Amino acid sequence: MNTITDLEAKEEIFAREFPNFYHFVTKEIRMLEFAADLALCCSDEDSCKNLNQKAGELSTALNTLTQRYTMDLF
């Protein structure tokens, strides 16, 4: 199993076990990315960079949590 498929399988398990939390966090990530795109449209590169950084941090946190939760399953 390759790394991407492995990660997708782990995310699927985590999302199934904690649907409300998973969907809330992924929605927040999408909202931050959307806000970053809007900031870039307004030529506000600093805000865009900060928003993308926050989205990246949240995504990393979710991936780490997913990895830890599914550690014993794979």
Side-chain angles (χ1 to χ4, degrees):
M1 187 178 271
N2 67 28
T3 305
I4 293 174
T5 305
D6 189 36
L7 181 59
E8 290 173 354
K10 289 179 178 183
E11 280 190 17
E12 184 179 318
I13 291 169
F14 189 82
R16 194 172 43 238
E17 292 292 320
F18 305 100
N20 292 336
F21 177 77
Y22 181 80
H23 293 296
F24 173 77
V25 173
T26 55
K27 189 175 185 178
E28 288 296 313
I29 292 168
R30 287 193 311 267
M31 288 175 59
L32 286 167
E33 291 170 342
F34 178 71
D37 289 344
L38 287 177
L40 192 57
C41 288
C42 297
S43 301
D44 187 356
E45 293 178 12
D46 290 335
S47 292
C48 177
K49 181 181 173 184
N50 290 336
L51 289 163
N52 277 324
Q53 181 180 357
K54 294 295 181 189
E57 290 170 0
L58 196 52
S59 180
T60 300
L62 181 60
N63 288 337
T64 302
L65 185 58
T66 299
Q67 293 287 344
R68 297 284 185 228
Y69 180 75
T70 58
M71 187 181 300
D72 294 335
L73 302 176
F74 286 79

